[in-house]
Amino acid sequence: MKDASEEKLASVSNLVTVFENSRTPEAAPRGHRLEDTHHHPECRPPRSPGPWEKLNVGEAMGSEPRTVSGRYLNSLKNKLSSGAWRKSCQPVTLSGSGMQEPEKKIVQELLETEQAYVARLHLLDQVFFQELLRAARRSKAFPEDVVRVIFSNISSIYQFHSQFFLPELQRRLDDWTANPRIGDVIQKLAPFLKMYSEYVKNFERAAELLATWTEKSPLFQEVLTRIQNSEASGSLTLQHHMLEPVQRIPRYELLLKEYVQKLPAQAPDQADAQKALDMIFSAAQHSNAAITEMERLQDLWEVYQRLGLEDDIVDPSNTLLREGPVFKISFRRNDPMERYLFLFNNMLLYCVPRVIQVGAQFQVRTRIDVAGMKVRELTDAEFPHSFLVSGKQRTLELQARSQEEKISWMQAFQAAVDQIEKRNETFKAAAQGPEGDTQEQELQSEELGLRAPQWVRDKMVTMCMRCQEPFNALTRRRHHCRACGYVVCARCSDYRAELKYNDNRPNRVCLHCYTFLTGNVLPEAKEDKRRGILEKGSSATPDQSLMCSFLQLIGDKWGKSGPRGWCVIPRDDPLVLYVYAAPQDMRAHTSIPLLGYQVTVGPQGDPRVFQLQQSGQLYTFKAETEELKGRWVKAMERAASGWSPSWPNDGDLSN
């Protein structure tokens, strides 16, 4: 048994000697060239040219090295504890050893595979690495740093296994009769296996550099080909050999797991072996985490390349949570615009595709911090599947392609916000009330200037939301207050105030916000004009009105064009119908006291048409649906009879 072990170890030693003495034909010492090692059958060279000499074209094609993809690494993390490793790396069965204990056979197998592994590490470190390093120093055809990055910390791994791990295993097996245990040895050396994480993280980068410089540098390719075509390399490529360290820790885990299973229940090595198995598993998980981290950084780098590698967004600590296209609801245009979002753990990048995609694919329009962000659903019949993202830098009204996509986006945003809040004690202590439009209005004055407002869309108003003067294309154009988001005229927004959400830069604001933010009271603000009967907010939200919707206004009384009007019966004035040009207008162009009116069916025969009639007054309306018409008729009949919402059993018609 001992003779067989010594013979196997001698074979490995001879193989290492061949590697050391045969790096270049002129480097081999006298008396130790390959042709002088014929007394070792395992290392006898072929009669063809030496292992480091180039083969002719026909021979090279017949023994072309097999290639391996660097992406193979991505599947390794899913196989760390899989039996597939055992099947693909089945050790040679021992014959004639005379051993009876099954656990000793596993230890012998561990030793033999370790001997072969050390030989492979020697090939990587002392042959491939050193030969390429010498060629880089001599010729300057490729940088030395490239060679060092490709091989990472392979020298440290080789020294650990050749000088510590393999000798310890060999000594323990030689002394097996007196001390039949291996758990304590692995416990002592297992923590050093975490050095593999650095090698694993660098593997993808190493594979890319290897492919790049093989094509770029003829000398680099020549050195690789000479070594890969040698008998010692087994006609395998450098990438194949570089995979060995990645696969080694899972191999330890499988062998040690089998060793623990074969141990008798009362074996003295049971406790130590189980603890050693746990440590090996921890090292495997460490490598697994390194692979996951490498994949995250790779994906993050690809995202940054698509964004143009702007200095203020490139941060390796970021995590990409979600990306994808959405529609941006414009406050000026009727049709939503397609945009692209990148949601990270700490920021949202609002992007537009580049017209000429040279390098970067997207241009970052706005960066919004996740800290302090609010997300809520929007109820908008014109834009279904819409939601609001309100951040300190900007507020966006977005539309998803489907309800499922909207829910998925909102959940991703909320998860990012929750994660930020958990890490920040300030947000933990913040009082969070129930969501809703009412709360948004209450918080608006407190947050004025601290966060970007939701801008009111242009088509939702026909008059200034402060002075109630109607807009026109020439003398009274629309502007937005950057503090409250109202649509106001130039006269009402001719003020500047510093806004914290915009880095304290001066911005256009309305008079109301200017007074609030600066504390200054202008002489114009002291003039109190008597409020007209039509100067009443449109109460666009259902909770502020008994009934509200658009109605088509029919007949000469409304004009020949038959415009649409935003019709409202307010809760605080339930006997009057107000007709506005747009939902957010602050002044109605018509008010109709409904008390005493009769509600009748229209003469046109359209089931969606109805009329209000009293004395010589006649108003004709057309609803979008019959169901909406029925609710309007019921609401107007109640108001005409003097019904009040304070009465019992008052139904809700606002839906």
Side-chain angles (χ1 to χ4, degrees):
M1 175 192 68
K2 187 172 182 180
D3 294 341
S5 176
E6 291 176 352
E7 181 181 353
K8 197 69 176 180
L9 182 60
S11 175
V12 175
S13 300
N14 291 332
L15 181 59
V16 172
T17 302
V18 171
F19 288 152
E20 290 176 343
N21 294 338
S22 309
R23 291 174 194 163
T24 57
E26 62 272 17
R30 294 181 181 178
H32 290 283
R33 291 186 180 272
L34 289 178
E35 55 265 35
D36 295 332
T37 60
H38 60 272
H39 56 280
H40 296 297
E42 297 84 357
C43 301
R44 184 177 292 119
R47 294 184 178 181
S48 55
W52 306 116
E53 298 179 23
K54 282 189 175 181
L55 301 176
N56 59 47
V57 176
E59 292 172 333
M61 293 185 64
S63 59
E64 184 179 355
R66 291 165 287 172
T67 59
V68 64
S69 171
R71 287 292 180 183
Y72 174 71
L73 179 66
N74 293 341
S75 65
L76 296 180
K77 66 175 183 177
N78 299 322
K79 301 179 180 178
L80 289 178
S81 301
S82 171
W85 292 104
R86 185 73 173 170
K87 296 174 184 176
S88 61
C89 305
Q90 186 67 33
V92 179
T93 304
L94 298 175
S95 59
S97 61
M99 288 191 246
Q100 300 297 325
E101 307 92 335
E103 65 273 17
K104 187 176 181 181
K105 291 183 179 180
I106 298 172
V107 175
Q108 179 68 40
E109 181 180 333
L110 177 61
L111 177 63
E112 291 181 352
T113 57
E114 186 69 14
Q115 291 168 346
Y117 178 56
V118 168
R120 185 63 58 87
L121 290 176
H122 182 93
L123 176 65
L124 281 170
D125 181 50
Q126 298 298 309
V127 182
F128 277 107
F129 182 28
Q130 296 301 329
E131 288 286 337
L132 286 171
L133 204 58
R134 275 194 290 270
R137 289 170 179 168
R138 286 196 305 263
S139 66
K140 305 297 182 182
F142 49 92
E144 293 183 37
D145 290 343
V146 169
V147 180
R148 298 185 189 279
V149 171
I150 290 176
F151 291 92
S152 186
N153 61 335
I154 194 65
S155 297
S156 299
I157 294 175
Y158 169 62
Q159 291 176 9
F160 166 72
H161 285 272
S162 62
Q163 298 179 18
F164 295 97
F165 206 169
L166 179 59
E168 287 285 343
L169 290 176
Q170 184 66 63
R171 281 193 290 270
R172 183 50 56 90
L173 191 62
D174 293 342
D175 194 31
W176 188 261
T177 303
N179 191 13
R181 54 196 305 130
I182 198 68
D184 57 337
V185 173
I186 297 180
Q187 278 188 56
K188 181 173 64 175
L189 300 177
F192 293 97
L193 296 179
K194 291 186 178 180
M195 73 173 70
Y196 276 79
S197 62
E198 180 181 347
Y199 182 89
V200 170
K201 282 193 293 186
N202 184 68
F203 185 87
E204 190 77 19
R205 174 67 174 155
E208 292 175 358
L209 286 174
L210 186 60
T212 299
W213 284 95
T214 300
E215 296 180 1
K216 192 173 181 179
S217 172
L219 179 59
F220 190 93
Q221 184 178 15
E222 178 185 344
V223 174
L224 284 186
T225 303
R226 174 160 46 88
I227 302 175
Q228 289 173 164
N229 288 337
S230 68
E231 181 184 17
S233 184
S235 296
L236 294 176
T237 65
L238 174 57
Q239 278 187 311
H240 269 95
H241 297 304
M242 289 170 63
L243 277 172
E244 287 289 322
V246 179
Q247 300 174 355
R248 188 57 184 164
I249 294 182
R251 184 69 186 281
Y252 287 142
E253 185 181 354
L254 289 172
L255 287 174
L256 195 56
K257 186 183 298 182
E258 187 175 354
Y259 173 76
V260 171
Q261 293 173 351
K262 299 292 185 182
L263 280 176
Q266 304 300 324
D269 199 21
Q270 183 71 39
D272 284 341
Q274 183 59 52
K275 186 175 180 181
L277 178 59
D278 294 339
M279 297 177 70
I280 291 290
F281 176 76
S282 175
Q285 292 300 102
H286 205 265
S287 295
N288 189 17
I291 296 174
T292 303
E293 176 66 9
M294 180 195 66
E295 290 179 339
R296 186 189 72 82
L297 292 174
Q298 178 69 20
D299 294 341
L300 193 63
W301 180 251
E302 292 176 359
V303 169
Y304 288 151
Q305 286 179 317
R306 294 159 64 194
L307 293 171
L309 300 175
E310 298 184 17
D311 293 338
D312 59 339
I313 64 173
V314 176
D315 187 345
S317 65
N318 290 342
T319 301
L320 180 65
L321 303 180
R322 182 182 172 89
E323 64 169 287
V326 296
F327 290 103
K328 164 67 170 58
I329 301 174
S330 173
F331 60 88
R332 296 196 185 277
R333 298 175 50 181
N334 293 330
D335 299 329
M337 302 168 292
E338 187 167 356
R339 295 292 183 258
Y340 204 90
L341 302 182
F342 291 91
L343 176 61
F344 293 86
N345 59 318
N346 62 343
M347 64 181 174
L348 170 68
L349 299 182
Y350 171 73
C351 308
V352 295
R354 290 183 181 270
V355 179
I356 302 177
Q357 296 186 1
V358 178
Q361 299 178 8
F362 298 97
Q363 178 182 358
V364 179
R365 280 284 182 88
T366 304
R367 169 179 171 171
I368 304 175
D369 293 338
V370 172
M373 182 179 289
K374 296 180 181 180
V375 184
R376 63 181 176 89
E377 186 176 8
L378 293 178
T379 303
D380 194 324
E382 186 178 0
F383 299 102
H385 321 309
S386 57
F387 58 100
L388 182 77
V389 176
S390 176
K392 292 181 179 179
Q393 291 81 9
R394 186 170 177 183
T395 295
L396 302 173
E397 293 184 56
L398 304 174
Q399 182 185 21
R401 301 173 189 270
S402 65
Q403 182 69 11
E404 294 75 16
E405 185 178 283
K406 181 190 78 172
I407 294 174
S408 179
W409 270 114
M410 292 184 65
Q411 290 176 344
F413 277 109
Q414 195 58 51
V417 173
D418 293 343
Q419 187 177 4
I420 287 286
E421 289 181 349
K422 288 180 181 178
R423 295 201 306 260
N424 195 324
E425 292 296 330
T426 303
F427 286 102
K428 280 185 179 181
Q432 299 180 358
E435 296 183 0
D437 293 335
T438 304
Q439 185 198 14
E440 292 292 332
Q441 295 296 329
E442 292 174 354
L443 294 179
Q444 186 176 7
S445 61
E446 298 177 8
E447 298 182 343
L448 204 64
L450 300 181
R451 62 186 305 116
Q454 178 183 0
W455 283 19
V456 177
R457 301 175 205 164
D458 283 2
K459 65 179 181 179
M460 302 296 285
V461 296
T462 62
M463 60 188 67
C464 176
M465 299 180 71
R466 292 303 183 192
C467 70
Q468 289 85 49
E469 291 295 329
F471 291 116
N472 59 68
L474 296 177
T475 61
R476 195 173 295 275
R477 300 175 58 191
R478 291 173 170 84
H479 299 274
H480 276 87
C481 172
R482 269 57 174 179
C484 64
Y486 276 17
V487 182
V488 291
C489 64
R491 187 179 64 182
C492 291
S493 61
D494 192 20
Y495 307 97
R496 295 275 173 174
E498 295 180 355
L499 302 180
K500 288 188 177 181
Y501 78 82
N502 197 21
D503 297 329
N504 287 322
R505 288 195 286 263
N507 285 261
R508 175 192 288 266
V509 295
C510 65
L511 174 59
H512 179 273
C513 294
Y514 175 83
T515 304
F516 181 88
L517 293 170
T518 64
N520 297 330
V521 180
L522 299 180
E524 294 83 357
K526 296 180 180 179
E527 298 179 2
D528 187 15
K529 186 173 61 175
R530 182 179 295 273
R531 185 176 181 183
I533 189 172
L534 297 179
E535 294 183 19
K536 179 178 179 63
S538 66
S539 305
T541 57
D543 59 341
Q544 296 175 301
S545 62
L546 295 175
M547 190 70 192
C548 62
S549 76
F550 278 106
L551 292 175
Q552 194 77 27
L553 310 178
I554 302 175
D556 295 338
K557 196 171 189 65
W558 304 109
K560 295 182 179 180
S561 60
R564 282 204 320 166
W566 180 257
C567 301
V568 179
I569 301 179
R571 286 187 178 273
D572 58 355
D573 198 0
L575 304 183
V576 180
L577 173 66
Y578 290 87
V579 182
Y580 298 83
Q584 297 290 344
D585 281 356
M586 302 303 294
R587 186 174 63 180
H589 64 70
T590 302
S591 65
I592 305 174
L594 296 175
L595 192 62
Y597 270 85
Q598 291 183 350
V599 185
T600 60
V601 178
Q604 289 85 351
D606 192 329
R608 296 174 295 171
V609 176
F610 61 98
Q611 293 180 325
L612 281 175
Q613 186 175 5
Q614 184 187 50
S615 302
Q617 300 292 332
L618 180 65
Y619 301 93
T620 305
F621 305 89
K622 181 180 177 181
E624 294 181 355
T625 64
E626 290 187 52
E627 186 272 337
L628 182 59
K629 171 216 170 176
R631 289 195 285 121
W632 268 112
V633 169
K634 186 176 181 180
M636 290 182 178
E637 286 177 344
R638 285 182 173 183
S641 64
W643 174 88
S644 172
S646 61
W647 292 6
N649 301 324
D650 54 338
D652 186 7
L653 301 173
S654 60
N655 291 329

